[in-house]
């Protein structure tokens, strides 16, 4: 489920007034950044202005609709109450085109979804927030579930105004709002290859593992792999920057794939499994290098094929971070959702995902990473103490370099033994105690001591630096919530996980912790 609490529909000074159901139907793609398909969207209104919104795929089974309606209502209204106060009203959208399996017209789809619309209205009304408009969008037409006047809302529906022909489209173009064809278009740019290149890439990953993994496990050679990975990434980024760009997204991705050799992609994918290397790569987040970095992370995510699908969590998280830093919140949300699908325990992705859902600005993270990059540029030791007075670095007070190197190497060794899953064993909040078990037949546990009130905050060196900077910003906002921000694409579904004896990460919270 996608949950956003930031206001939507306004960019800078570009504002527009929507006066009818047709204008609301036309505005929805501009609010989301893409044309929604097969989903429920609830948008809160505060004094006539758009507020938070939630989105979830429409369950196939009508038996699941009551629970989904109740979940969406509680989620949206609860978040609005916690941030901006109870909303005045809610607008509901049900978006689903007739599918061959459901044979029929848009009108039949509207009638089939009518009980779901009523359940949404009832669930929101039970929380004292009325649904002032409920629309069904299907087959380029819209129907209102709240209007019974045939002269206003005929049985066959009203056509949705074509793209680029309205005041809304003109305002969005002026404000620089880009609308994609669908969310699937964004996912296709990040999904693993299904062409003949897939088996070849998997063989290259196998070969690179034989060379890189022993070196990454060695405390004395890990830094060499980091330097090799970053140098190769810079080389590939320059190659992408020098290539001519294609206007079509699919054609552009095909060109990028041609510029990236299998062995190069394998080295980069494996090298980014190291958190320190990944955090160094996250510094390419702004300016001209950010666009090239985003293209590279997309290409690497597409190369995580076969048994290496879980390795996509690193490049997907980097793609989500850079997209967010560049202002493309749609691709950021999709990339982070896919990263958590590849590895639900990937801490950096979870923190970024929660920050996006909570409406946090990316600038605190950028400041933290800028400081880190300056450290690398000015001194040979990348772990210079940033001082007590730096608010953004509150979570970055480091242990000595050797201790962090040892923790990173130990974490990578455990991930390789357990099919390379990055279960980053870091407390997500102050006072968290973290237990690590080695799966079936495991024999060891590691725990971090809880923070004693009144003592100095202790940072677990196993957490990546960028993740700690983001955690500090979230903690100052008082918005840390366990498990927040995870967005499955459809109610009742979970991302598939490869079975193995991989370790399980158990986060325990102290009594009374928020």
């Amino acid at each position: 489920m996608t949950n956003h609490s930031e206001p939507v529909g306004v960019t800078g000074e570009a504002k527009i007034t929507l006066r009818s159901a047709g204008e609301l139907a036309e505005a929805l793609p501009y609010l989301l950044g893409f044309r929604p398909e097969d989903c429920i969207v609830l948008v809160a209104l505060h004094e006539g202005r758009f507020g938070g919104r939630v989105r979830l795929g429409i369950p196939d089974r009508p038996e699941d609709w009551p629970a989904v309606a109740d979940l969406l209502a509680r989620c949206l209204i609860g978040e609005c109450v916690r941030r901006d106060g109870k909303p005045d009203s809610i607008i509901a959208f049900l978006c689903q085109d007739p599918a061959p399996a459901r044979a029929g017209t848009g009108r039949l789809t509207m009638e089939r979804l009518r009980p779901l619309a009523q359940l949404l209205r009832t669930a929101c009304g039970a929380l004292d927030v009325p649904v002032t408009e409920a629309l069904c969008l299907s087959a380029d037409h819209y129907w209102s579930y709240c209007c019974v006047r045939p002269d206003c809302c005929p049985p066959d529906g009203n056509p949705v105004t074509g793209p680029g022909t309205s005041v809304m489209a003109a305002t969005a173009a002026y404000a620089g709002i880009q609308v994609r064809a669908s969310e699937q278009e964004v996912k296709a740019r990040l999904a693993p290859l299904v062409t003949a290149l897939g088996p070849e890439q998997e063989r290259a990953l196998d070969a690179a593992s034989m060379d890189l993994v022993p070196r990454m496990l060695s405390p004395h050679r890990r830094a060499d792999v980091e330097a090799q990975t970053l140098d190769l990434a810079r080389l590939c980024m320059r190659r992408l920057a020098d290539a001519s760009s294609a206007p079509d997204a699919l054609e552009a991705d095909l060109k990028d794939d041609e510029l990236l050799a299998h062995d190069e992609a394998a080295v980069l994918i494996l090298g980014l499994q190291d958190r320190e290397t990944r955090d160094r790569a996250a510094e390419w987040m702004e300016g001209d290098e950010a666009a090239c970095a985003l293209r590279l992370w997309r290409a690497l995510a597409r190369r995580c094929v076969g048994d290496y699908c879980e390795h996509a969590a690193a490049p997907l998280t980097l793609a989500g971070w850079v997209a967010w830093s560049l202002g493309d919140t749609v691709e950021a949300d999709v990339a982070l959702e896919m990263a958590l699908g590849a590895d639900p325990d990937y801490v950096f992705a979870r923190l970024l995902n929660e920050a996006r859902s909570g409406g946090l600005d990316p600038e605190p993270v950028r400041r933290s990473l800028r400081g880190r990059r300056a450290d690398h540029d000015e001194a040979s030791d990348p772990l210079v103490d940033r001082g007590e007075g730096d608010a953004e670095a509150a979570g970055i007070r480091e242990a000595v370099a050797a201790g962090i190197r040892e923790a990173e190497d130990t974490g990578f060794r455990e991930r390789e033994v357990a099919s390379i899953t990055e279960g980053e064993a870091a407390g997500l909040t102050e006072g968290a105690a973290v237990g690590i078990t080695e799966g079936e037949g495991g024999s060891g546990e590691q725990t971090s001591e809880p923070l004693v009130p009144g003592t100095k905050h202790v940072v677990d060196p196993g957490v990546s630096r960028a993740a700690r900077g983001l955690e500090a910003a979230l903690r100052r906002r008082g918005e840390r919530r366990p498990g927040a921000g995870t967005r499955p694409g459809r109610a009742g579904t979970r991302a598939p996980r490869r079975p193995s004896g991989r370790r399980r990460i158990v986060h325990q919270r102290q009594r009374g912790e928020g």
Side-chain angles (χ1 to χ4, degrees):
M1 177 173 65
T2 302
N3 178 12
H4 290 289
S5 299
E6 76 274 18
V8 295
V10 176
T11 301
E13 296 299 321
K15 301 178 183 179
I16 190 169
T17 301
L18 307 177
R19 297 182 174 85
S20 66
E23 291 178 346
L24 286 172
E26 180 196 349
L28 183 59
Y30 298 96
L31 301 182
L32 300 178
F34 57 89
R35 304 191 182 282
E37 296 178 348
D38 199 22
C39 64
I40 307 166
V41 182
L42 298 184
V43 182
L45 293 179
H46 293 271
E47 298 179 354
R49 298 174 63 88
F50 288 122
R53 67 188 186 273
V54 294
R55 178 173 57 88
L56 185 68
I58 298 176
D60 291 329
R61 301 192 318 150
E63 294 85 353
D64 296 329
W65 291 356
V68 166
D70 182 63
L71 170 67
L72 289 173
R74 286 188 291 105
C75 181
L76 178 60
I77 296 173
E79 282 296 299
C80 289
V81 168
R82 193 169 68 86
R83 295 174 182 275
D84 305 316
K86 181 181 289 188
D88 301 324
S89 60
I90 289 174
I91 299 175
F93 299 88
L94 301 180
C95 309
Q96 189 175 79
D97 285 331
R102 302 188 187 100
T105 63
R107 181 179 178 181
L108 292 177
T109 300
M110 180 273 295
E111 292 294 348
R112 189 179 66 84
L113 297 177
R114 185 181 292 275
L116 176 57
Q118 185 59 37
L119 288 168
L120 291 168
R121 297 175 69 182
T122 303
C124 294
L127 298 175
D128 296 327
V129 180
V131 175
T132 53
E133 184 62 273
L135 298 176
C136 175
L137 278 66
S138 180
D140 296 325
H141 285 67
Y142 71 89
W143 290 260
S144 173
Y145 292 112
C146 299
C147 179
V148 296
R149 294 168 47 197
D151 58 325
C152 175
C153 299
D156 292 330
N158 289 305
V160 178
T161 303
T165 61
S166 65
V167 175
M168 184 71 193
T171 305
Y174 176 77
I177 300 175
Q178 186 180 26
V179 178
R180 292 173 172 84
S182 69
E183 188 179 27
Q184 296 303 318
E185 175 186 301
V186 184
K187 289 184 176 180
R189 307 192 70 182
L190 302 166
L193 295 172
V194 292
T195 66
L197 297 177
E200 297 179 20
Q201 183 62 64
E202 189 169 6
R203 286 191 292 270
L205 285 162
D206 290 337
S209 296
M210 300 295 291
D211 173 54
L212 290 179
V213 170
R215 294 163 57 196
M216 297 176 75
L217 297 179
S218 170
H220 305 292
R221 303 174 67 190
R222 190 212 64 83
D224 295 336
V225 178
E226 176 184 334
Q228 176 187 354
T229 302
L230 295 174
D231 288 344
L232 179 58
R234 294 187 186 97
L235 175 64
C236 293
M237 288 167 57
R238 287 195 295 270
R239 191 185 303 157
L240 293 173
D242 293 338
S244 59
S245 59
D248 179 70
L250 177 59
E251 184 179 351
D253 291 343
L254 290 174
K255 284 189 174 182
D256 290 347
D257 288 335
E258 293 173 357
L259 295 172
L260 187 63
H262 293 308
D263 56 343
E264 293 175 331
V267 169
L268 292 173
I269 290 169
L270 292 170
L272 290 174
Q273 304 309 305
D274 177 77
R275 284 173 288 173
E276 183 68 17
T277 306
R278 179 204 64 197
D279 287 354
R280 291 285 304 276
E283 297 166 5
W284 303 324
M285 59 191 170
E286 50 192 349
D288 295 337
E289 65 184 3
C292 296
L294 180 56
R295 291 167 61 187
L296 179 59
W297 306 146
R298 287 191 198 119
L300 293 180
R302 294 193 294 270
R303 299 297 186 96
C304 295
V305 296
D307 291 337
Y308 293 88
C309 286
E310 285 188 351
H311 288 60
L316 284 171
T317 302
L318 288 171
W321 159 237
V322 175
W324 183 26
S325 180
L326 292 174
D328 189 347
T329 57
V330 174
E331 182 166 2
D333 291 339
V334 171
L336 294 174
E337 178 183 340
M338 294 177 68
L340 291 172
D343 184 357
D345 295 322
Y346 203 78
V347 172
F348 193 30
R350 287 165 55 189
L351 290 171
L352 287 171
N353 190 53
E354 182 175 341
R356 274 290 307 127
S357 298
L360 192 68
D361 191 270
E363 183 56 27
V365 192
R366 284 196 291 256
R367 282 198 293 267
S368 176
L369 290 173
R370 288 190 201 108
R372 176 185 175 86
R373 189 169 191 173
D375 291 345
H376 284 290
D377 292 341
E378 295 173 4
S380 58
D381 182 2
L383 299 174
V384 178
D385 185 9
R386 306 217 34 94
E388 296 290 333
D390 189 344
E392 271 66 46
I396 310 179
R397 293 189 291 268
E398 305 265 0
V400 295
I404 293 183
R405 292 286 188 238
E406 179 181 355
E408 295 285 350
D409 291 337
T410 301
F412 184 81
R413 184 178 298 109
E414 292 170 348
R415 290 195 298 274
E416 282 298 317
V417 171
S419 302
I420 309 195
T421 298
E422 178 168 346
E424 294 169 293
L428 296 185
T429 57
E430 295 182 11
V434 182
I436 306 174
T437 54
E438 294 293 333
E440 296 182 6
S443 59
E445 289 192 354
Q446 297 180 358
T447 58
S448 60
E449 293 296 329
L451 184 68
V452 179
T455 63
K456 185 177 180 180
H457 175 53
V458 179
V459 176
D460 188 332
V463 193
S464 65
R465 182 168 179 163
R468 283 197 296 276
L470 178 57
E471 180 194 350
L474 288 168
R475 189 168 57 245
R476 289 195 306 278
R477 287 274 298 268
E479 296 173 2
R480 294 291 297 120
R481 302 183 306 285
T486 302
R487 299 192 283 265
R490 192 70 65 86
T493 63
R494 329 179 32 178
R497 301 297 309 277
R498 295 210 318 255
S500 69
R502 68 167 57 96
R503 61 182 185 169
R504 296 168 47 215
I505 308 302
V506 181
H507 297 283
Q508 301 172 345
R509 306 178 70 83
Q510 286 185 319
R511 180 175 300 176
E513 184 172 284

